[in-house]
Amino acid sequence: MIGNSAYISYTGNQVFSGTGLLLYTFLSFGFLMAFRILVKESYRFLSNTASQNSKKRILVFGVSDTSIGLAQSLINDAHSPYRPIAFLSTNEKGHNYKIMNLPILNCCGAIENELEAIKKRYNIQGLLLVGDTLSVPEKNRIVEKTFAAGLEVYNTFMPEKWDKLSDVHLKIAPLQIEDLLERDPIEIDTQLICNDLRGKTILVTGGAGSIGSELAKQVAVFKPKKLIILDNAESALHSIDLYLKKTFPKLKYQCYLADVTQQGRMEGVFAKFRFDVVYHAAAYKHVPMIENHPREGIRINTMGTRILAKLACDYGCQRFVMVSTDKAVNPSNVMGATKRAAEMYVQALQSKPGVTTKFITTRFGNVLGSNGSVIPFFKEQIKNGGPVTVTHKDIIRYFMTIPEACQLVLQAGTMGKGGEIFVFDMGKPVRILDMAERMIKLSGLKPYEDIPIEITGLREGEKLYEELLNDGEQMLSTFHPKIMVSGVVEYEYEYVSQALDHLDILINKVGKKREIIKKLKALVPEFLSQNSVYQDLDLLEKPVEVTILNGNPLPNQKHPKPVAVKTQT
């Protein structure tokens, strides 16, 4: 090989110029890179075009920094199924302006007409609401008009509440019925609860149920000395065990598979742990089921409460917080009456000499999303194509979320002096038929057209509306705006205890259903059956109410059988 500075030669013949080879290298590399970029960008363009066409075209409500930032994140997120097309504003100032090349559309006038026009002009499919920028009444108004225009509604909470800002589309979901219930947010004194529970040994009965499991989760946050979760539902108890193990690895807790009506088992648990606080949430709650099985309702709801309450006294428990229900107020069904009998017992026990345990009762209505509640039931019916079944067109109920209810239970537990019944402000009652119609609309369907609604008639023991106070009770305010205390009617311990002894014999040995219910009605005089086979028992002679003054009946008030007793001093 022979070479010089300008040429490369082989056997005396020139083959390549060194400069030409270098130039060829750079040109080849440049063309290759340009080709690769062209192919990649072409693919991205075609892919984005196809993706954009398949995305849901949505309006973003509001022109705040939050809604603008959210829209920008959705535009930049290639995996997002949503494509912001415009901002929807109720403020005329932004009319005819653009942000990120997205127009600001005004809807100050007849919003349903304007939404209809916007839908046609921009081919919009849905509306995205961001966080709590609207009050619940305003949100309801916007949502109703959006449904009327044939649009879907989506919701996302404020970005500052997100765990991370990536995958913004995963934080967006169809609006839920819970978001449309008119109730004010609940605030609790977490420091007071923390001071009250930290370092304590705490028992939660019914700890695998909807309320009990949430109570256990919330109590765990306050770092108790030991937390015992007790329930007789094996699978559900296993689930809460796995949750606590993963979420609170340093928490000292135990899950006990046990029945609250087994006195020997319960005594062993109390003797072992010497609880400071008991949250008693174990109960049977389904009205029609307990109407047909009164023995089991009384056994769990009433006798189970009596066993636990007596053990709490015997083992020096500081506080016993019973979770009750608004169905215990002037009960119209066996379930409500069993809970009212339990309330009466713990109140009577509080007045017994020598009792130092503070017995506190909390009452609230239906909780959203609990096992067997109406909302999961409706969702399943809608998923299956209907019909959605409502028992009466005028039936109304109070609703609260499970976390909210448990927060108030914890708060009330710190407030009680002993013997009180705390009643929670549940907000405005909700007409169940309206809820069914809205849930169908939230699913993107039309009630009575896509999904039929059937009125089936009131179930056994069911009321049209629930009450907050029994006859003779008065509502008193507390320092917490969402918690009231009921001025209750007091009952003599011996009378209630003897009545429960008789009931216990009936449910375990010789009693027939009607005899059992008759005895329960004698104990709970305000129990009047509705839509029930036991209604005719109310036509019989009602027990006489006797007032006890300083331990003795007032003159001229003789009574042949156990009766309801009021205590005066």
Side-chain angles (χ1 to χ4, degrees):
M1 181 181 290
I2 303 171
N4 56 37
S5 60
Y7 297 98
I8 299 173
S9 62
Y10 182 71
T11 63
N13 298 317
Q14 294 181 355
V15 180
F16 293 108
S17 164
T19 305
L21 182 61
L22 185 63
L23 182 61
Y24 177 79
T25 300
F26 279 115
L27 287 174
S28 297
F29 180 77
F31 279 120
L32 180 61
M33 288 300 298
F35 179 74
R36 289 175 61 87
I37 292 172
L38 178 63
V39 170
K40 186 176 181 180
E41 290 303 314
S42 298
Y43 174 79
R44 180 181 295 178
F45 174 78
L46 294 173
S47 177
N48 286 345
T49 301
S51 174
Q52 291 295 328
N53 291 334
S54 65
K55 290 184 176 184
K56 287 186 178 292
R57 298 167 63 87
I58 62 170
L59 296 171
V60 178
F61 190 87
V63 286
S64 65
D65 292 341
T66 301
S67 57
I68 294 170
L70 182 62
Q72 187 171 24
S73 297
L74 290 173
I75 291 171
N76 295 334
D77 186 352
H79 302 290
S80 169
Y82 308 101
R83 179 185 175 188
I85 300 300
F87 294 97
L88 188 67
S89 174
T90 55
N91 189 344
E92 258 187 278
K93 290 182 180 179
H95 194 43
N96 294 328
Y97 289 114
K98 287 188 176 183
I99 299 176
M100 298 183 302
N101 206 34
L102 300 181
I104 300 175
L105 307 176
N106 179 266
C107 62
C108 290
I111 185 172
E112 62 272 27
N113 297 332
E114 293 173 357
L115 280 173
E116 190 70 41
I118 290 170
K119 175 187 174 183
K120 291 179 180 178
R121 182 179 176 184
Y122 293 94
N123 191 25
I124 298 297
Q125 296 169 281
L127 173 68
L128 174 62
L129 302 176
V130 184
D132 301 321
T133 53
L134 293 170
S135 66
V136 176
E138 289 174 327
K139 185 181 290 186
N140 274 298
R141 185 178 72 89
I142 295 293
V143 167
E144 285 298 327
K145 303 304 182 185
T146 306
F147 285 152
L151 297 174
E152 297 177 356
V153 183
Y154 305 97
N155 191 45
T156 184
F157 46 89
M158 300 299 273
E160 55 264 27
K161 297 180 181 179
W162 296 354
D163 296 329
K164 57 181 182 177
L165 294 177
S166 61
D167 296 328
V168 62
H169 64 278
L170 299 178
K171 312 293 192 285
I172 298 174
L175 195 70
Q176 299 297 309
I177 189 66
E178 293 91 331
D179 301 315
L180 300 178
L181 297 182
E182 294 191 27
R183 63 189 192 279
D184 297 326
I186 290 175
E187 297 180 2
I188 59 171
D189 188 341
T190 53
Q191 188 59 50
L192 180 63
I193 297 172
C194 182
N195 294 340
D196 200 49
L197 299 183
R198 185 188 293 269
K200 300 286 180 65
T201 302
I202 298 170
L203 170 66
V204 179
T205 71
S210 304
I211 295 296
S213 61
E214 180 63 26
L215 274 173
K217 294 171 186 177
Q218 293 193 18
V219 167
V221 174
F222 296 108
K223 299 180 180 179
K225 179 180 179 181
K226 190 146 196 172
L227 175 61
I228 305 300
I229 299 117
L230 188 145
D231 206 293
N232 64 354
E234 180 207 12
S235 296
L237 192 65
H238 178 64
S239 296
I240 188 67
D241 185 18
L242 293 177
Y243 174 87
L244 293 176
K245 190 175 295 182
K246 178 181 178 182
T247 311
F248 301 96
K250 295 183 180 179
L251 176 69
K252 292 183 178 180
Y253 78 94
Q254 282 182 253
C255 290
Y256 269 72
L257 185 64
D259 189 324
V260 295
T261 63
Q262 300 299 312
Q263 179 147 357
R265 174 74 159 140
M266 291 302 100
E267 188 155 6
V269 173
F270 272 79
K272 181 177 180 178
F273 294 106
R274 305 275 174 170
F275 299 109
D276 299 301
V277 182
V278 173
Y279 291 101
H280 177 41
Y284 285 153
K285 64 181 183 179
H286 294 292
V287 170
M289 188 65 69
I290 303 307
E291 201 73 10
N292 292 322
H293 300 86
R295 296 175 192 272
E296 293 307 303
I298 295 170
R299 188 177 68 86
I300 293 292
N301 295 355
T302 307
M303 302 307 171
T305 300
R306 178 165 75 155
I307 289 170
L308 293 172
K310 287 176 67 176
L311 288 171
C313 286
D314 295 343
Y315 287 92
C317 183
Q318 296 173 13
R319 282 195 319 284
F320 183 98
V321 183
M322 174 186 165
V323 175
S324 189
T325 169
D326 57 1
K327 291 178 176 61
V329 180
N330 297 322
S332 63
N333 51 68
V334 176
M335 192 281 284
T338 62
K339 294 296 284 185
R340 177 60 189 144
E343 290 182 358
M344 292 167 61
Y345 180 79
V346 297
Q347 288 177 283
L349 184 59
Q350 184 72 79
S351 63
K352 187 180 179 183
V355 171
T356 58
T357 302
K358 295 178 181 178
F359 289 96
I360 299 156
T361 301
T362 60
R363 273 188 201 152
F364 52 88
N366 299 276
V367 286
L368 296 166
S370 65
N371 297 329
S373 71
V374 68
I375 289 180
F377 182 60
F378 282 171
K379 285 181 178 178
E380 187 66 23
Q381 289 183 323
I382 294 168
K383 179 182 176 182
N384 294 331
V388 172
T389 55
V390 179
T391 59
H392 194 284
K393 65 182 181 64
D394 295 321
I395 193 169
I396 60 173
R397 288 292 181 266
Y398 292 96
F399 285 96
M400 180 176 285
T401 67
I402 295 173
E404 287 173 341
C406 292
Q407 286 172 354
L408 291 180
V409 169
L410 296 180
Q411 186 75 76
T414 66
M415 297 163 55
K417 307 295 184 194
E420 306 97 334
I421 293 180
F422 287 103
V423 180
F424 298 164
D425 179 0
M426 303 286 293
K428 293 183 179 180
V430 178
R431 188 166 171 255
I432 301 300
L433 182 58
D434 292 340
M435 177 180 286
E437 291 173 350
R438 283 193 172 186
M439 288 185 66
I440 293 171
K441 292 176 182 177
L442 287 170
S443 301
L445 303 169
K446 294 181 179 179
Y448 307 106
E449 294 182 19
D450 300 322
I451 301 288
I453 298 177
E454 292 182 0
I455 306 298
T456 60
L458 291 173
R459 299 176 300 172
E460 287 184 291
E462 190 172 43
K463 292 181 182 179
L464 278 181
Y465 60 92
E466 303 293 354
E467 302 166 88
L468 295 176
L469 296 175
N470 278 304
D471 296 334
E473 295 180 341
Q474 296 178 345
M475 188 83 78
L476 305 172
S477 61
T478 69
F479 71 82
H480 195 288
K482 304 290 282 186
I483 302 176
M484 284 72 69
V485 63
S486 166
V488 298
V489 178
E490 295 181 1
Y491 291 84
E492 290 290 329
Y493 175 76
E494 290 302 324
Y495 160 67
V496 177
S497 186
Q498 289 176 13
L500 292 185
D501 286 341
H502 294 154
L503 262 177
D504 201 20
I505 293 171
L506 289 175
I507 66 173
N508 287 304
K509 294 182 180 178
V510 298
K512 295 182 179 180
K513 277 187 181 181
R514 292 178 63 81
E515 190 177 0
I516 292 169
I517 299 304
K518 190 175 179 180
K519 177 62 71 174
L520 184 60
K521 286 178 178 289
L523 173 61
V524 184
E526 64 269 31
F527 172 25
L528 297 174
S529 297
Q530 293 184 22
N531 309 300
S532 171
V533 295
Y534 306 121
Q535 278 180 267
D536 62 313
L537 295 177
D538 298 319
L539 301 176
L540 304 176
E541 182 182 358
K542 292 297 292 182
V544 181
E545 189 176 81
V546 176
T547 302
I548 299 295
L549 181 60
N550 296 326
N552 299 302
L554 292 179
N556 303 319
Q557 291 206 349
K558 296 179 181 179
H559 48 285
K561 56 185 177 180
V563 293
V565 181
K566 286 185 179 180
T567 301
Q568 295 180 359
T569 57

